Amino acid sequence: MSRILIVEDEPAILLGLSGQLRREGYEVTTAITGDDGLSSAQTNPPDLIVLDLMLPGLSGYEICRTLRSQGRQMPILMLTARGEETDRVLGLDIGADDYLTKPFSLRELLARIRALLRRTQSNDKLQIGDVEIDFAAYTATRAGRPIEISRRELLLLRALTAKPNRVLSRDELLDSVVGEDVYVSNRVIDNYIVTLRAKLPEGHLVTIRGAGYKWIP
Ligand code: CA
């Protein structure tokens, strides 16, 4: 499950946001000062940060700039107050990925969060029901518990999920999984599909008879 850090000094907003995000199934940590927010993001990096611009101590800008200068790439959604037009632009300049102006609707915020997480998850992390895949670390968990998954199963999954709703032939998949120069029967793909499917929630990995396989998100 994705972890979100909210850095916000207005108690009502903080409470409303954290409650709503937890109800949506996110794991939420909070900070009410800039300094606490930065140290939390550094010591226990979240998957996404909802960052207020004006904070006691370090500002949202400074936090954003510091994290980016340290090479931390988690998506940052900046919250700004009405009338901070130039600030908004600056917010994007310093490496925030998106912003919302207060007051905003929770629905809008949730949509933005989902979009941002999808963007990063398509790179390194993937959430499929209660299964979480980390392609960078070659690890997978189901309901928070580690599951065994081989490198080739991960490569296969990555190839499929990179092109959702498209039929991929065994030969295409084979190239991604064992490499183009290796000669093996493309039927090995069927074996990987079977073992992979057993580890994932049902209904995503679909067989298209005579053609190949398809990933349905
Ligand atoms: Ca504030």
Side-chain angles (χ1 to χ4, degrees):
M1 183 43 64
S2 298
R3 232 160 40 75
I4 298 179
L5 167 66
I6 308 171
V7 191
E8 167 63 74
D9 61 316
E10 287 172 59
I13 296 181
L14 185 63
L15 211 66
L17 274 188
S18 54
Q20 186 65 36
L21 289 177
R22 285 190 181 110
R23 278 192 290 280
E24 294 290 323
Y26 296 107
E27 195 184 312
V28 178
T29 43
T30 61
I32 56 169
T33 68
D35 300 71
D36 284 350
L38 180 61
S39 80
S40 173
Q42 287 170 329
T43 54
N44 195 8
D47 299 304
L48 180 144
I49 306 177
V50 178
L51 183 59
D52 187 31
L53 180 61
M54 299 306 286
L55 292 160
L58 290 172
S59 71
Y61 294 147
E62 289 165 311
I63 294 172
C64 198
R65 205 182 299 125
T66 304
L67 290 172
R68 293 304 188 230
S69 75
Q70 293 169 342
R72 295 177 195 275
Q73 296 301 326
M74 72 280 272
I76 295 177
L77 175 64
M78 195 81 94
L79 302 181
T80 66
R82 202 180 284 279
E84 293 174 329
E85 297 299 319
T86 47
D87 291 344
R88 282 174 160 196
V89 179
L90 182 58
L92 296 178
D93 280 350
I94 59 163
D97 298 273
D98 201 356
Y99 62 83
L100 268 180
T101 304
K102 297 176 190 174
F104 49 83
S105 77
L106 279 172
R107 218 170 122 191
E108 177 69 17
L109 180 87
L110 286 170
R112 304 283 187 99
I113 286 176
R114 272 187 222 113
L116 286 172
L117 285 173
R118 240 191 334 265
R119 225 156 76 196
T120 39
Q121 282 166 350
S122 66
N123 295 331
D124 279 342
K125 286 187 181 172
L126 182 69
Q127 184 87 39
I128 312 155
D130 60 350
V131 174
E132 191 172 286
I133 310 281
D134 187 335
F135 288 112
Y138 287 116
T139 57
T141 58
R142 181 155 203 171
R145 296 188 180 172
I147 53 177
E148 254 182 66
I149 194 158
S150 72
R151 192 176 144 274
R152 284 186 169 176
E153 286 167 345
L154 283 172
L155 290 172
L156 178 61
L157 182 61
R158 182 158 227 186
L160 283 160
T161 55
K163 292 176 179 168
N165 301 313
R166 262 191 51 190
V167 181
L168 298 175
S169 70
R170 289 186 180 83
D171 283 331
E172 282 177 86
L173 292 170
L174 193 65
D175 288 347
S176 319
V177 174
V178 301
E180 290 175 36
D181 301 330
V182 183
Y183 179 76
V184 286
S185 160
N186 63 19
R187 292 286 158 179
V188 301
I189 291 298
D190 299 349
N191 299 330
Y192 291 130
I193 291 280
V194 170
T195 56
L196 186 56
R197 198 179 262 150
K199 295 169 188 180
L200 299 174
E202 278 178 35
H204 295 287
L205 218 176
V206 176
T207 305
I208 308 298
R209 203 172 284 271
Y213 297 97
K214 182 164 82 169
W215 180 261
I216 301 176

Short mmCIF file of all heavy atoms in Angstrom, two decimals, residues 8-10 52-56 102, ligand 1:
data_model
loop_
_atom_site.label_atom_id
_atom_site.label_comp_id
_atom_site.label_asym_id
_atom_site.label_seq_id
_atom_site.Cartn_x
_atom_site.Cartn_y
_atom_site.Cartn_z
N GLU A 8 1.41 19.81 6.75
CA GLU A 8 0.37 20.86 6.73
C GLU A 8 0.21 21.37 8.16
O GLU A 8 0.10 20.59 9.10
CB GLU A 8 -0.93 20.23 6.21
CG GLU A 8 -2.19 21.06 6.41
CD GLU A 8 -2.14 22.38 5.66
OE1 GLU A 8 -2.29 22.37 4.42
OE2 GLU A 8 -1.96 23.42 6.32
N ASP A 9 0.20 22.71 8.31
CA ASP A 9 0.13 23.26 9.67
C ASP A 9 -1.28 23.65 10.10
O ASP A 9 -1.48 24.03 11.25
CB ASP A 9 1.08 24.46 9.80
CG ASP A 9 0.71 25.58 8.84
OD1 ASP A 9 0.42 25.27 7.67
OD2 ASP A 9 0.70 26.74 9.26
N GLU A 10 -2.24 23.59 9.19
CA GLU A 10 -3.61 23.90 9.60
C GLU A 10 -4.30 22.61 10.05
O GLU A 10 -4.54 21.72 9.25
CB GLU A 10 -4.39 24.52 8.44
CG GLU A 10 -3.96 25.95 8.14
CD GLU A 10 -4.60 26.48 6.86
OE1 GLU A 10 -5.84 26.51 6.78
OE2 GLU A 10 -3.85 26.83 5.95
N ASP A 52 2.25 21.47 2.08
CA ASP A 52 1.75 22.83 2.16
C ASP A 52 2.91 23.79 1.86
O ASP A 52 4.06 23.51 2.18
CB ASP A 52 1.17 23.08 3.55
CG ASP A 52 0.49 24.44 3.64
OD1 ASP A 52 -0.04 24.91 2.62
OD2 ASP A 52 0.48 25.02 4.75
N LEU A 53 2.57 24.91 1.25
CA LEU A 53 3.62 25.86 0.87
C LEU A 53 4.12 26.66 2.07
O LEU A 53 5.31 26.72 2.36
CB LEU A 53 3.06 26.80 -0.19
CG LEU A 53 3.99 27.87 -0.73
CD1 LEU A 53 5.20 27.24 -1.39
CD2 LEU A 53 3.24 28.73 -1.74
N MET A 54 3.17 27.30 2.80
CA MET A 54 3.56 28.15 3.92
C MET A 54 3.48 27.35 5.21
O MET A 54 2.40 26.95 5.63
CB MET A 54 2.65 29.38 4.00
CG MET A 54 2.69 30.26 2.75
SD MET A 54 4.37 30.77 2.31
CE MET A 54 4.65 31.98 3.59
N LEU A 55 4.63 27.15 5.81
CA LEU A 55 4.71 26.32 7.02
C LEU A 55 5.57 27.02 8.06
O LEU A 55 6.44 27.81 7.72
CB LEU A 55 5.38 24.99 6.68
CG LEU A 55 4.62 24.01 5.77
CD1 LEU A 55 5.59 23.01 5.17
CD2 LEU A 55 3.52 23.31 6.55
N PRO A 56 5.34 26.72 9.32
CA PRO A 56 6.29 27.20 10.34
C PRO A 56 7.63 26.52 10.12
O PRO A 56 7.67 25.33 9.80
CB PRO A 56 5.66 26.73 11.66
CG PRO A 56 4.39 26.04 11.34
CD PRO A 56 4.28 25.87 9.87
N LYS A 102 -5.91 26.05 -2.40
CA LYS A 102 -6.96 25.95 -1.37
C LYS A 102 -8.03 27.01 -1.62
O LYS A 102 -7.68 28.12 -2.01
CB LYS A 102 -6.35 26.19 0.02
CG LYS A 102 -5.33 25.18 0.44
CD LYS A 102 -4.76 25.61 1.78
CE LYS A 102 -3.56 24.75 2.15
NZ LYS A 102 -2.89 25.21 3.37
CA CA B 1 0.12 26.74 5.91
#
